[in-house]
């Protein structure tokens, strides 16, 4: 079993090496951000040429079947395009993320092939954001928070800088999620998770009942 | 969730889980444990990083450009801006005097409909068909109940969802992930009552008393259950 401390440092180093600030615009992370935030087709093409052959090799390794491996490339790279806005830098590298998408598609493809019950899908087994789905920010919640703005400003400075920056973009500059992500050069998914964490922390600090 | 969890899947099992190599039944049991256990959640993330490095680094046997024709269609597809999760129809199981909230993966499979059957000794079980390699079931042991002495021809994993049970080797509480290997003979019992999710990769062999009579039936049932899947 990997000790927790080691696992944390592993993930921290994964994060560091992918920190969007100051990373070259050709890193897989930057490309994914471009695909997710403004549907950048050139960036998608680069990711495609970087990963399609690797996903094919992974498919061969896991299924031993060339046709399935071809199908996997199509399904996995489609997922990369569709889910790019959900990519969250705070949860790991582009490569790990693309791996988990490919693994999930592979799992589903194999079950479909073996005609196994459709009640189980990869999304049930590996939820994207454990315990956080259905917490899409509720406008009313936000309004009630914003009415306590004086307090909020006092508490806001106690948040981690990254979360402060996101809250500033959304509530001070009144930007859309997409515009804020672009301004901060982070993936939309990361913006949303930082916003969620930041507002959750604020609620705690202010003592708003959840 | 804050109480101490003493029994976890080992590193090898978590690695296979992260690589997507396990049958659905086993994956569901691990997923449910991981949802309840922060340590295993961390370790699963690490296992996914390792698996990604191992599986996406393999030598390239086909060039990416051979797939270029796929791109035009893919980029026409709409993107997904929010995580969409369909709520499960069933989120909890009602016990005699209280309800138990199920981890998400289990809630999903329980939503397919559970048919509870009474066994001897205060045991109730609801079987599930999830794949063709395992036999899965929810098991409810009433307070003071005991499963007859038995052994397994394969491996058995038991995830404790609520309450506790004990056998010769120890006592297992909520969120514990208990693995019993081939040929291990045991006689689990519960004082306070216990709800579990169990995954078996082969039929159980009862070794004592009237329950022995169940053996041929048991094997027949397992074959039937798995054959049905394979059709």
């Amino acid at each position: 079993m990997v000790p927790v401390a080691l696992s944390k440092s592993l993930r921290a180093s994964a994060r560091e090496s992918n920190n969007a600030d100051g990373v070259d615009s050709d890193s897989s992370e930057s490309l994914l951000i471009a695909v997710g935030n403004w549907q950048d087709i050139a960036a998608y093409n680069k990711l495609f040429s970087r990963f399609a052959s690797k996903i094919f090799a992974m498919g061969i390794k896991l299924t031993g079947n060339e046709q399935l491996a071809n199908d996997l490339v199509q399904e996995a790279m489609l997922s990369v395009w569709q889910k790019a806005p959900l990519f969250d830098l705070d949860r790991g590298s582009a490569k790990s993320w693309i791996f988990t998408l490919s693994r999930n598609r592979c799992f589903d493809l194999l079950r479909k092939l073996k005609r196994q019950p459709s009640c189980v899908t990869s999304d049930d087994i590996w939820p994207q954001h454990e315990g956080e789905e259905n917490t899409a920010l509720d406008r009313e919640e936000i309004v009630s928070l914003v009415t306590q703005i004086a307090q909020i400003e006092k508490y806001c400075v106690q948040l981690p800088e990254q979360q402060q920056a996101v809250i500033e973009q959304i509530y001070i500059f009144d930007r859309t999620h997409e515009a804020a992500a672009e301004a901060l050069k982070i993936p939309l998914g990361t913006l949303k998770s930082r916003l969620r964490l930041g507002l959750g922390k604020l609620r705690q600090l202010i003592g708003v009942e959840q | 969730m804050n109480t101490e969890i003493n029994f976890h899947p080992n590193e090898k099992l978590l690695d296979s889980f992260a690589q997507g190599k396990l049958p659905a039944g086993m994956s569901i049991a691990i997923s449910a444990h991981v949802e309840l256990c922060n340590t295993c959640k961390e370790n699963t993330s690490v296992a996914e990083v390792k698996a990604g490095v191992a599986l996406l680094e393999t030598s390239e046997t086909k060039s990416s450009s051979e797939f270029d024709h796929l791109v035009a269609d893919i980029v026409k597809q709409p993107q997904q801006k929010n995580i969409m999760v369909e709520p499960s129809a069933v989120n909890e199981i009602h016990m005699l005097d209280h309800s138990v909230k199920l981890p998400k993966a289990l809630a999903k499979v329980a939503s397919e409909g559970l048919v509870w059957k009474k066994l001897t000794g205060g045991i109730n079980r609801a079987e599930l068909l999830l794949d063709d390699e395992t036999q899965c079931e929810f098991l409810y042991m009433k307070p003071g109940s005991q499963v007859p002495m038995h052994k397994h021809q394969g491996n058995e994993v038991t995830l404790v969802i609520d309450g506790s049970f004990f056998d010769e080797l120890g006592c297992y509480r909520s969120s514990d992930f208990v693995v019993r290997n081939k040929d291990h003979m045991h006689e689990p019992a519960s004082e306070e009552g216990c709800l579990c999710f169990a995954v078996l990769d082969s039929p159980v062999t009862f070794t004592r008393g009237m329950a022995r009579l169940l053996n041929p039936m048991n094997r027949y049932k397992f074959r039937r259950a798995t054959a049905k899947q394979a059709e």
Side-chain angles (χ1 to χ4, degrees):
Chain A
M1 195 97 331
V2 182
V4 176
L6 172 63
S7 89
K8 278 194 178 134
S9 73
L10 249 174
R11 290 218 283 171
S13 67
R15 268 203 289 278
E16 252 166 50
S17 62
N18 303 315
N19 195 341
D21 322 305
V23 150
D24 69 299
S25 61
D26 211 35
S27 72
S28 297
E29 287 72 24
S30 308
L31 294 172
L32 254 185
I33 294 170
V35 173
N37 290 11
W38 51 92
Q39 295 76 50
D40 185 330
I41 291 177
Y44 181 75
N45 270 307
K46 278 190 187 170
L47 281 175
F48 194 93
S49 61
R50 212 169 276 181
F51 285 99
S53 61
K54 293 197 167 93
I55 294 170
F56 176 77
M58 170 175 163
I60 293 286
K61 208 167 182 183
L62 290 179
T63 71
N65 177 320
E66 182 163 349
Q67 186 50 45
L68 270 181
N70 285 330
D71 292 349
L72 179 64
V73 173
Q74 177 166 14
E75 298 255 332
M77 287 309 301
L78 173 63
S79 279
V80 170
W81 170 262
Q82 289 180 315
K83 292 176 188 278
L86 306 176
F87 169 62
D88 183 350
L89 206 51
D90 290 349
R91 283 169 183 265
S93 68
K95 185 177 189 176
S96 297
W97 186 76
I98 291 172
F99 161 72
T100 57
L101 292 184
S102 309
R103 170 200 63 195
N104 290 9
R105 296 290 78 77
C106 190
F107 186 87
D108 291 337
L109 274 175
L110 278 172
R111 280 183 65 79
K112 206 169 146 195
L113 182 81
K114 293 193 207 159
R115 296 208 178 86
Q116 292 180 335
S118 57
C119 63
V120 183
T121 68
S122 56
D123 287 342
D124 303 318
I125 294 171
W126 298 282
Q128 296 173 69
H129 283 217
E130 268 174 72
E132 288 178 18
E133 62 277 290
N134 299 332
T135 54
L137 295 166
D138 180 337
R139 276 277 149 195
E140 278 177 36
E141 259 183 345
I142 293 163
V143 170
S144 85
L145 269 174
V146 170
T147 53
Q148 307 169 55
I149 198 93
Q151 270 179 307
I152 291 177
E153 280 175 357
K154 194 172 71 196
Y155 289 118
C156 217
V157 293
Q158 297 178 34
L159 298 179
E161 268 176 42
Q162 292 176 327
Q163 293 170 14
Q164 276 186 49
V166 168
I167 287 176
E168 179 186 63
Q169 287 287 329
I170 303 287
Y171 298 109
I172 314 277
F173 302 151
D174 202 23
R175 294 201 162 125
T176 62
H177 289 177
E178 286 78 5
E182 189 168 351
L184 295 170
K185 295 195 172 55
I186 57 175
L188 199 53
T190 306
L191 176 112
K192 287 183 181 178
S193 76
R194 285 181 189 169
L195 192 56
R196 202 157 42 216
L197 290 171
L199 290 184
K201 186 86 185 296
L202 267 183
R203 256 185 225 117
Q204 258 179 14
L205 290 169
I206 299 166
V208 176
E209 290 198 12
Q210 175 65 351
Chain B
M1 205 196 285
N2 295 321
T3 54
E4 200 183 332
I5 303 173
N6 291 315
F7 299 89
H8 307 266
N10 64 23
E11 188 176 351
K12 201 177 147 211
L13 203 53
L14 271 192
D15 280 343
S16 304
F17 172 67
Q19 292 169 2
K21 284 181 174 169
L22 299 175
M26 190 62 79
S27 299
I28 292 273
I30 296 176
S31 169
H33 173 80
V34 167
E35 181 180 325
L36 300 167
C37 174
N38 287 328
T39 311
C40 289
K41 206 175 283 176
E42 283 282 342
N43 289 336
T44 299
S45 303
V46 174
E48 284 178 337
V49 173
K50 280 196 295 181
V53 169
L55 288 168
L56 282 182
E57 281 297 354
T58 41
S59 59
E60 295 162 22
T61 53
K62 204 165 171 177
S63 145
S64 287
S65 57
E66 291 182 59
F67 296 101
D68 277 350
H69 60 280
L70 298 173
V71 175
D73 277 337
I74 288 176
V75 298
K76 278 187 216 144
Q77 300 299 315
Q79 290 187 325
Q80 189 188 332
K81 299 256 159 145
N82 290 298
I83 294 166
M84 289 174 293
V85 178
E86 284 175 37
S88 292
V90 172
N91 285 309
E92 47 187 26
I93 288 186
H94 303 285
M95 319 289 283
L96 290 175
D97 55 351
H98 66 294
S99 297
V100 178
K101 191 172 182 299
L102 294 174
K104 275 185 226 86
L106 289 178
K108 178 70 190 301
V109 296
S111 299
E112 294 292 306
L114 298 180
V115 181
W116 289 93
K117 292 198 175 125
K118 271 189 186 159
L119 304 181
T120 53
I123 314 291
N124 289 271
R125 75 183 220 195
E127 273 186 82
L128 293 164
L129 295 180
L130 301 178
D131 60 65
D132 53 11
E133 292 164 73
T134 63
Q135 182 186 345
C136 301
E137 61 198 17
F138 283 97
L139 264 183
Y140 174 61
M141 305 171 74
K142 279 186 186 159
S145 63
Q146 188 166 46
V147 178
M149 178 72 92
H150 66 276
K151 68 177 182 182
H152 308 288
Q153 290 175 355
N155 301 308
E156 178 193 50
V157 158
T158 308
L159 175 73
V160 182
I161 303 168
D162 187 62
S164 66
F165 78 92
F166 61 92
D167 65 10
E168 299 76 6
L169 296 179
C171 184
Y172 317 101
R173 296 180 183 82
S174 181
S175 308
D176 275 338
F177 186 94
V178 188
V179 183
R180 285 287 168 265
N181 296 322
K182 187 175 183 302
D183 297 331
H184 178 91
M185 197 114 56
H186 72 153
E187 201 167 18
S190 177
E191 262 171 32
E192 58 165 326
C194 186
L195 178 68
C196 303
F197 180 70
V199 182
L200 269 148
D201 58 14
S202 70
V204 181
T205 312
F206 288 99
T207 55
R208 208 158 78 185
M210 291 297 280
R212 250 189 325 191
L213 291 171
L214 291 172
N215 282 339
M217 271 313 275
N218 221 323
R219 266 200 294 278
Y220 168 70
K221 259 174 68 185
F222 184 71
R223 259 211 312 275
R224 202 181 42 169
T226 55
K228 220 188 274 175
Q229 307 274 309
E231 271 168 22

